[in-house]
Amino acid sequence: YVWGATGLGVNFCKVKVALGDDAPLDTWALIFDPEKASKLASCGISMLDDPTEAFAAALSYLGKDPNSRDDGDLEAAAELLRKARPHIRYFHSSQYISDLANGDLCVAHGYSGDVLQARTRAEEADKGVEVGYRVPREGAVLWTDVMAIPKDAPNPAGAHAFIAYVLDPAVVAAISNYVMYANPNPAATPLLDEAVRSDPGIYPSDEVKGRLFALATRSDKEIRNLNRLWTRIKAQR
């Protein structure tokens, strides 16, 4: 019922101070290039605590298939993450929202709507913190938030009615206006706030959408392998 992309939350002022006014902001290099990351570490880099998302970002930066199952590709991504690890302040899937808004991070690997919520909080606080969202040029995950009905649900008709209600143009437009995530109902678009409808971080251009990819479903064994690698990376082992 809503969708978005996993990209970069950026504190424009701090990144430019660290890397220069001309530094590109739409690249995973902010996390994975040791020269850049070492300069940003003091003001803070965070990553999602999600091995699937982290490996997809690393594989994209390396120019490999972000859904690769090749052992060599995964080891290359793991090595990239190991080298980045000393420059990463923490791994968390929500703390970055408030930290970006407060100016306590330079760069956050995060979900588009979360970063845009951080931007709104920063604007409301009016303390000179300028937060932006960027889709990395190397590629990024396109995700969807879904509603599902269990096969043994006691009231599937009610569930379908609820889903239909949520996807009603007026209702889902109000949801998008509040959470700053795109929705899949074109009839809702005219009902969106102009700031939401025209924000490229929420509704990206066709060019940017061309960089997005969906995550493939990995087997239980593959997920366990990623989790083991991820645990070692975080622990710097």
Side-chain angles (χ1 to χ4, degrees):
Y1 67 101
V2 291
W3 64 273
T6 308
L8 294 166
V10 180
N11 182 313
F12 292 143
C13 294
K14 288 191 173 183
V15 170
K16 288 179 179 178
V17 167
L19 301 182
D21 290 341
D22 297 328
L25 305 178
D26 61 339
T27 172
W28 291 120
L30 297 180
I31 295 174
F32 296 130
D33 181 338
E35 182 179 352
K36 291 181 172 60
S38 63
K39 295 177 181 178
L40 296 170
S42 61
C43 59
I45 299 173
S46 74
M47 287 196 75
L48 295 172
D49 192 5
D50 184 323
T52 306
E53 288 275 10
F55 272 82
L59 288 165
S60 295
Y61 178 70
L62 292 171
K64 300 180 182 295
D65 176 2
N67 288 307
S68 177
R69 290 169 163 80
D70 180 79
D71 289 341
D73 288 349
L74 293 176
E75 183 51 43
E79 183 60 23
L80 184 70
L81 288 160
R82 290 187 194 103
K83 290 179 178 178
R85 176 64 184 93
H87 307 302
I88 297 170
R89 181 175 293 176
Y90 63 76
F91 300 89
H92 201 279
S93 296
S94 61
Q95 183 180 336
Y96 65 92
I97 303 174
S98 57
D99 285 350
L100 274 175
N102 295 331
D104 294 331
L105 284 175
C106 270
V107 175
H109 167 226
Y111 306 116
S112 53
D114 286 355
V115 174
L116 295 171
Q117 289 175 45
R119 182 186 67 184
T120 298
R121 292 185 192 180
E123 291 170 348
E124 291 171 348
D126 195 23
K127 294 182 179 178
V129 177
E130 186 182 358
V131 174
Y133 171 74
R134 293 292 184 270
V135 175
R137 62 181 70 174
E138 298 91 354
V141 172
L142 183 154
W143 50 259
T144 57
D145 280 354
V146 304
M147 291 180 282
I149 305 172
K151 64 180 181 180
D152 60 349
N155 184 12
H160 279 287
F162 177 74
I163 292 172
Y165 167 76
V166 168
L167 291 175
D168 177 85
V171 175
V172 80
I175 291 172
S176 288
N177 287 335
Y178 185 76
V179 300
M180 290 188 235
Y181 289 131
N183 70 73
N185 190 345
T189 304
L191 305 177
L192 295 171
D193 293 342
E194 173 59 27
V196 172
R197 185 169 61 244
S198 61
D199 191 321
I202 304 173
Y203 286 95
S205 67
D206 289 342
E207 177 188 358
V208 173
K209 282 193 285 188
R211 306 179 205 160
L212 304 179
F213 55 85
L215 288 172
T217 301
R218 294 183 181 272
S219 69
D220 290 345
K221 181 180 179 181
E222 289 168 336
I223 292 172
R224 286 194 298 271
N225 182 47
L226 281 187
N227 285 336
R228 281 194 296 269
L229 288 170
W230 188 234
T231 299
R232 294 188 189 115
I233 289 164
K234 290 194 297 179
Q236 301 191 67
R237 295 204 305 266

mmCIF file of all heavy atoms in Angstrom, residues 55-88:
data_model
loop_
_atom_site.group_PDB
_atom_site.id
_atom_site.type_symbol
_atom_site.label_atom_id
_atom_site.label_comp_id
_atom_site.label_asym_id
_atom_site.label_seq_id
_atom_site.Cartn_x
_atom_site.Cartn_y
_atom_site.Cartn_z
ATOM 1 N N PHE A 55 24.096 -5.880 2.265
ATOM 2 C CA PHE A 55 24.800 -6.583 1.192
ATOM 3 C C PHE A 55 24.326 -6.095 -0.177
ATOM 4 O O PHE A 55 25.123 -6.011 -1.113
ATOM 5 C CB PHE A 55 24.627 -8.094 1.336
ATOM 6 C CG PHE A 55 25.669 -8.724 2.207
ATOM 7 C CD1 PHE A 55 25.540 -8.696 3.590
ATOM 8 C CD2 PHE A 55 26.795 -9.318 1.663
ATOM 9 C CE1 PHE A 55 26.501 -9.264 4.408
ATOM 10 C CE2 PHE A 55 27.769 -9.886 2.470
ATOM 11 C CZ PHE A 55 27.628 -9.856 3.855
ATOM 12 N N ALA A 56 23.044 -5.764 -0.309
ATOM 13 C CA ALA A 56 22.560 -5.234 -1.582
ATOM 14 C C ALA A 56 23.245 -3.914 -1.911
ATOM 15 O O ALA A 56 23.634 -3.666 -3.060
ATOM 16 C CB ALA A 56 21.040 -5.044 -1.528
ATOM 17 N N ALA A 57 23.420 -3.062 -0.906
ATOM 18 C CA ALA A 57 24.104 -1.786 -1.130
ATOM 19 C C ALA A 57 25.558 -2.021 -1.518
ATOM 20 O O ALA A 57 26.078 -1.396 -2.458
ATOM 21 C CB ALA A 57 24.025 -0.932 0.132
ATOM 22 N N ALA A 58 26.226 -2.924 -0.794
ATOM 23 C CA ALA A 58 27.638 -3.194 -1.084
ATOM 24 C C ALA A 58 27.823 -3.797 -2.470
ATOM 25 O O ALA A 58 28.728 -3.403 -3.224
ATOM 26 C CB ALA A 58 28.217 -4.127 -0.015
ATOM 27 N N LEU A 59 26.975 -4.745 -2.829
ATOM 28 C CA LEU A 59 27.064 -5.351 -4.160
ATOM 29 C C LEU A 59 26.808 -4.317 -5.249
ATOM 30 O O LEU A 59 27.467 -4.325 -6.295
ATOM 31 C CB LEU A 59 26.068 -6.509 -4.270
ATOM 32 C CG LEU A 59 26.424 -7.776 -3.472
ATOM 33 C CD1 LEU A 59 25.203 -8.694 -3.362
ATOM 34 C CD2 LEU A 59 27.580 -8.519 -4.130
ATOM 35 N N SER A 60 25.853 -3.428 -5.024
ATOM 36 C CA SER A 60 25.574 -2.372 -6.008
ATOM 37 C C SER A 60 26.786 -1.474 -6.194
ATOM 38 O O SER A 60 27.153 -1.120 -7.324
ATOM 39 C CB SER A 60 24.372 -1.534 -5.550
ATOM 40 O OG SER A 60 23.197 -2.302 -5.515
ATOM 41 N N TYR A 61 27.405 -1.092 -5.097
ATOM 42 C CA TYR A 61 28.589 -0.225 -5.183
ATOM 43 C C TYR A 61 29.712 -0.907 -5.950
ATOM 44 O O TYR A 61 30.456 -0.250 -6.695
ATOM 45 C CB TYR A 61 29.056 0.131 -3.772
ATOM 46 C CG TYR A 61 30.302 0.995 -3.748
ATOM 47 C CD1 TYR A 61 30.250 2.324 -4.174
ATOM 48 C CD2 TYR A 61 31.516 0.489 -3.300
ATOM 49 C CE1 TYR A 61 31.387 3.120 -4.159
ATOM 50 C CE2 TYR A 61 32.661 1.277 -3.282
ATOM 51 C CZ TYR A 61 32.587 2.593 -3.716
ATOM 52 O OH TYR A 61 33.721 3.377 -3.707
ATOM 53 N N LEU A 62 29.821 -2.213 -5.794
ATOM 54 C CA LEU A 62 30.869 -2.968 -6.502
ATOM 55 C C LEU A 62 30.522 -3.247 -7.961
ATOM 56 O O LEU A 62 31.317 -3.838 -8.690
ATOM 57 C CB LEU A 62 31.111 -4.301 -5.781
ATOM 58 C CG LEU A 62 31.742 -4.206 -4.391
ATOM 59 C CD1 LEU A 62 31.717 -5.565 -3.697
ATOM 60 C CD2 LEU A 62 33.175 -3.677 -4.482
ATOM 61 N N GLY A 63 29.327 -2.850 -8.378
ATOM 62 C CA GLY A 63 28.911 -3.084 -9.757
ATOM 63 C C GLY A 63 28.466 -4.505 -10.025
ATOM 64 O O GLY A 63 28.413 -4.944 -11.174
ATOM 65 N N LYS A 64 28.103 -5.214 -8.963
ATOM 66 C CA LYS A 64 27.660 -6.604 -9.107
ATOM 67 C C LYS A 64 26.144 -6.694 -8.964
ATOM 68 O O LYS A 64 25.489 -5.740 -8.539
ATOM 69 C CB LYS A 64 28.346 -7.478 -8.052
ATOM 70 C CG LYS A 64 29.868 -7.481 -8.161
ATOM 71 C CD LYS A 64 30.504 -8.360 -7.108
ATOM 72 C CE LYS A 64 32.034 -8.324 -7.179
ATOM 73 N NZ LYS A 64 32.535 -8.910 -8.453
ATOM 74 N N ASP A 65 25.596 -7.836 -9.319
ATOM 75 C CA ASP A 65 24.170 -8.081 -9.163
ATOM 76 C C ASP A 65 23.817 -7.970 -7.679
ATOM 77 O O ASP A 65 24.348 -8.712 -6.854
ATOM 78 C CB ASP A 65 23.833 -9.486 -9.683
ATOM 79 C CG ASP A 65 22.372 -9.872 -9.464
ATOM 80 O OD1 ASP A 65 21.589 -9.055 -8.945
ATOM 81 O OD2 ASP A 65 22.022 -11.017 -9.813
ATOM 82 N N PRO A 66 22.934 -7.032 -7.302
ATOM 83 C CA PRO A 66 22.619 -6.862 -5.878
ATOM 84 C C PRO A 66 21.923 -8.065 -5.270
ATOM 85 O O PRO A 66 21.876 -8.193 -4.037
ATOM 86 C CB PRO A 66 21.718 -5.629 -5.865
ATOM 87 C CG PRO A 66 21.155 -5.545 -7.247
ATOM 88 C CD PRO A 66 22.222 -6.064 -8.149
ATOM 89 N N ASN A 67 21.406 -8.957 -6.107
ATOM 90 C CA ASN A 67 20.784 -10.184 -5.626
ATOM 91 C C ASN A 67 21.672 -11.409 -5.837
ATOM 92 O O ASN A 67 21.203 -12.548 -5.774
ATOM 93 C CB ASN A 67 19.441 -10.406 -6.324
ATOM 94 C CG ASN A 67 18.379 -9.436 -5.836
ATOM 95 O OD1 ASN A 67 18.132 -9.320 -4.644
ATOM 96 N ND2 ASN A 67 17.750 -8.720 -6.767
ATOM 97 N N SER A 68 22.959 -11.164 -6.070
ATOM 98 C CA SER A 68 23.879 -12.263 -6.384
ATOM 99 C C SER A 68 23.906 -13.307 -5.273
ATOM 100 O O SER A 68 23.906 -12.981 -4.076
ATOM 101 C CB SER A 68 25.291 -11.724 -6.610
ATOM 102 O OG SER A 68 26.192 -12.791 -6.854
ATOM 103 N N ARG A 69 23.965 -14.568 -5.699
ATOM 104 C CA ARG A 69 24.146 -15.681 -4.775
ATOM 105 C C ARG A 69 25.540 -16.292 -4.900
ATOM 106 O O ARG A 69 25.851 -17.273 -4.235
ATOM 107 C CB ARG A 69 23.083 -16.756 -5.053
ATOM 108 C CG ARG A 69 21.678 -16.336 -4.652
ATOM 109 C CD ARG A 69 20.631 -17.307 -5.175
ATOM 110 N NE ARG A 69 19.362 -17.167 -4.494
ATOM 111 C CZ ARG A 69 18.463 -16.225 -4.758
ATOM 112 N NH1 ARG A 69 18.720 -15.333 -5.709
ATOM 113 N NH2 ARG A 69 17.322 -16.172 -4.095
ATOM 114 N N ASP A 70 26.354 -15.708 -5.744
ATOM 115 C CA ASP A 70 27.698 -16.208 -5.980
ATOM 116 C C ASP A 70 28.568 -15.997 -4.734
ATOM 117 O O ASP A 70 28.624 -14.885 -4.180
ATOM 118 C CB ASP A 70 28.314 -15.477 -7.174
ATOM 119 C CG ASP A 70 29.723 -15.945 -7.477
ATOM 120 O OD1 ASP A 70 29.863 -17.008 -8.091
ATOM 121 O OD2 ASP A 70 30.661 -15.247 -7.067
ATOM 122 N N ASP A 71 29.236 -17.053 -4.291
ATOM 123 C CA ASP A 71 30.050 -16.960 -3.076
ATOM 124 C C ASP A 71 31.140 -15.901 -3.199
ATOM 125 O O ASP A 71 31.434 -15.187 -2.236
ATOM 126 C CB ASP A 71 30.679 -18.322 -2.751
ATOM 127 C CG ASP A 71 29.661 -19.340 -2.258
ATOM 128 O OD1 ASP A 71 28.560 -18.915 -1.831
ATOM 129 O OD2 ASP A 71 29.960 -20.551 -2.305
ATOM 130 N N GLY A 72 31.722 -15.803 -4.379
ATOM 131 C CA GLY A 72 32.771 -14.807 -4.583
ATOM 132 C C GLY A 72 32.244 -13.392 -4.468
ATOM 133 O O GLY A 72 32.891 -12.514 -3.864
ATOM 134 N N ASP A 73 31.071 -13.156 -5.048
ATOM 135 C CA ASP A 73 30.462 -11.824 -4.951
ATOM 136 C C ASP A 73 30.130 -11.479 -3.502
ATOM 137 O O ASP A 73 30.359 -10.347 -3.040
ATOM 138 C CB ASP A 73 29.180 -11.766 -5.786
ATOM 139 C CG ASP A 73 29.447 -11.766 -7.282
ATOM 140 O OD1 ASP A 73 30.622 -11.593 -7.672
ATOM 141 O OD2 ASP A 73 28.476 -11.934 -8.048
ATOM 142 N N LEU A 74 29.578 -12.439 -2.776
ATOM 143 C CA LEU A 74 29.193 -12.181 -1.388
ATOM 144 C C LEU A 74 30.416 -11.938 -0.512
ATOM 145 O O LEU A 74 30.392 -11.082 0.383
ATOM 146 C CB LEU A 74 28.368 -13.345 -0.847
ATOM 147 C CG LEU A 74 26.990 -13.535 -1.499
ATOM 148 C CD1 LEU A 74 26.307 -14.782 -0.956
ATOM 149 C CD2 LEU A 74 26.110 -12.314 -1.277
ATOM 150 N N GLU A 75 31.491 -12.646 -0.777
ATOM 151 C CA GLU A 75 32.708 -12.427 -0.002
ATOM 152 C C GLU A 75 33.304 -11.060 -0.320
ATOM 153 O O GLU A 75 33.823 -10.364 0.571
ATOM 154 C CB GLU A 75 33.733 -13.521 -0.266
ATOM 155 C CG GLU A 75 35.010 -13.380 0.572
ATOM 156 C CD GLU A 75 34.744 -13.215 2.056
ATOM 157 O OE1 GLU A 75 33.883 -13.932 2.614
ATOM 158 O OE2 GLU A 75 35.392 -12.334 2.681
ATOM 159 N N ALA A 76 33.228 -10.647 -1.587
ATOM 160 C CA ALA A 76 33.716 -9.315 -1.959
ATOM 161 C C ALA A 76 32.905 -8.235 -1.250
ATOM 162 O O ALA A 76 33.460 -7.236 -0.761
ATOM 163 C CB ALA A 76 33.642 -9.132 -3.477
ATOM 164 N N ALA A 77 31.579 -8.424 -1.177
ATOM 165 C CA ALA A 77 30.720 -7.469 -0.476
ATOM 166 C C ALA A 77 31.030 -7.469 1.016
ATOM 167 O O ALA A 77 31.072 -6.399 1.653
ATOM 168 C CB ALA A 77 29.252 -7.805 -0.714
ATOM 169 N N ALA A 78 31.245 -8.661 1.573
ATOM 170 C CA ALA A 78 31.582 -8.752 2.994
ATOM 171 C C ALA A 78 32.892 -8.032 3.293
ATOM 172 O O ALA A 78 33.014 -7.331 4.307
ATOM 173 C CB ALA A 78 31.667 -10.212 3.420
ATOM 174 N N GLU A 79 33.873 -8.177 2.414
ATOM 175 C CA GLU A 79 35.152 -7.512 2.613
ATOM 176 C C GLU A 79 34.993 -5.991 2.543
ATOM 177 O O GLU A 79 35.615 -5.253 3.322
ATOM 178 C CB GLU A 79 36.162 -7.985 1.566
ATOM 179 C CG GLU A 79 37.559 -7.403 1.729
ATOM 180 C CD GLU A 79 38.202 -7.746 3.065
ATOM 181 O OE1 GLU A 79 37.803 -8.747 3.700
ATOM 182 O OE2 GLU A 79 39.107 -6.997 3.486
ATOM 183 N N LEU A 80 34.151 -5.525 1.628
ATOM 184 C CA LEU A 80 33.875 -4.091 1.533
ATOM 185 C C LEU A 80 33.242 -3.587 2.831
ATOM 186 O O LEU A 80 33.620 -2.528 3.352
ATOM 187 C CB LEU A 80 32.948 -3.821 0.346
ATOM 188 C CG LEU A 80 32.631 -2.347 0.055
ATOM 189 C CD1 LEU A 80 33.873 -1.630 -0.479
ATOM 190 C CD2 LEU A 80 31.491 -2.243 -0.956
ATOM 191 N N LEU A 81 32.285 -4.334 3.350
ATOM 192 C CA LEU A 81 31.631 -3.955 4.601
ATOM 193 C C LEU A 81 32.603 -3.991 5.775
ATOM 194 O O LEU A 81 32.553 -3.136 6.662
ATOM 195 C CB LEU A 81 30.436 -4.871 4.860
ATOM 196 C CG LEU A 81 29.224 -4.633 3.944
ATOM 197 C CD1 LEU A 81 28.309 -5.854 3.916
ATOM 198 C CD2 LEU A 81 28.449 -3.396 4.407
ATOM 199 N N ARG A 82 33.521 -4.980 5.786
ATOM 200 C CA ARG A 82 34.523 -5.039 6.848
ATOM 201 C C ARG A 82 35.410 -3.790 6.847
ATOM 202 O O ARG A 82 35.750 -3.251 7.905
ATOM 203 C CB ARG A 82 35.395 -6.287 6.686
ATOM 204 C CG ARG A 82 34.694 -7.605 6.974
ATOM 205 C CD ARG A 82 35.681 -8.771 6.954
ATOM 206 N NE ARG A 82 34.973 -10.040 6.893
ATOM 207 C CZ ARG A 82 34.832 -10.786 5.793
ATOM 208 N NH1 ARG A 82 35.393 -10.380 4.653
ATOM 209 N NH2 ARG A 82 34.165 -11.908 5.818
ATOM 210 N N LYS A 83 35.795 -3.357 5.661
ATOM 211 C CA LYS A 83 36.653 -2.175 5.563
ATOM 212 C C LYS A 83 35.904 -0.903 5.961
ATOM 213 O O LYS A 83 36.502 0.044 6.483
ATOM 214 C CB LYS A 83 37.193 -2.047 4.139
ATOM 215 C CG LYS A 83 38.211 -3.126 3.775
ATOM 216 C CD LYS A 83 38.698 -2.976 2.341
ATOM 217 C CE LYS A 83 39.745 -4.041 2.010
ATOM 218 N NZ LYS A 83 40.194 -3.950 0.595
ATOM 219 N N ALA A 84 34.591 -0.894 5.719
ATOM 220 C CA ALA A 84 33.787 0.272 6.089
ATOM 221 C C ALA A 84 33.476 0.303 7.584
ATOM 222 O O ALA A 84 33.248 1.377 8.162
ATOM 223 C CB ALA A 84 32.474 0.268 5.300
ATOM 224 N N ARG A 85 33.472 -0.886 8.203
ATOM 225 C CA ARG A 85 33.025 -1.014 9.597
ATOM 226 C C ARG A 85 33.678 -0.030 10.570
ATOM 227 O O ARG A 85 32.974 0.569 11.410
ATOM 228 C CB ARG A 85 33.235 -2.463 10.080
ATOM 229 C CG ARG A 85 32.895 -2.682 11.554
ATOM 230 C CD ARG A 85 31.419 -2.436 11.812
ATOM 231 N NE ARG A 85 31.078 -2.549 13.219
ATOM 232 C CZ ARG A 85 31.056 -1.527 14.072
ATOM 233 N NH1 ARG A 85 31.414 -0.317 13.675
ATOM 234 N NH2 ARG A 85 30.690 -1.720 15.325
ATOM 235 N N PRO A 86 34.996 0.217 10.525
ATOM 236 C CA PRO A 86 35.604 1.129 11.504
ATOM 237 C C PRO A 86 35.063 2.553 11.432
ATOM 238 O O PRO A 86 35.184 3.315 12.405
ATOM 239 C CB PRO A 86 37.099 1.085 11.153
ATOM 240 C CG PRO A 86 37.286 -0.209 10.441
ATOM 241 C CD PRO A 86 36.019 -0.425 9.676
ATOM 242 N N HIS A 87 34.464 2.916 10.309
ATOM 243 C CA HIS A 87 33.974 4.279 10.133
ATOM 244 C C HIS A 87 32.477 4.413 10.456
ATOM 245 O O HIS A 87 31.941 5.529 10.400
ATOM 246 C CB HIS A 87 34.220 4.733 8.693
ATOM 247 C CG HIS A 87 35.633 4.563 8.235
ATOM 248 N ND1 HIS A 87 36.696 5.149 8.883
ATOM 249 C CD2 HIS A 87 36.168 3.847 7.206
ATOM 250 C CE1 HIS A 87 37.811 4.813 8.272
ATOM 251 N NE2 HIS A 87 37.524 4.025 7.259
ATOM 252 N N ILE A 88 31.821 3.310 10.775
ATOM 253 C CA ILE A 88 30.377 3.319 11.012
ATOM 254 C C ILE A 88 30.113 3.428 12.509
ATOM 255 O O ILE A 88 30.609 2.614 13.299
ATOM 256 C CB ILE A 88 29.715 2.055 10.421
ATOM 257 C CG1 ILE A 88 29.898 2.062 8.903
ATOM 258 C CG2 ILE A 88 28.231 1.999 10.777
ATOM 259 C CD1 ILE A 88 29.505 0.764 8.237
#
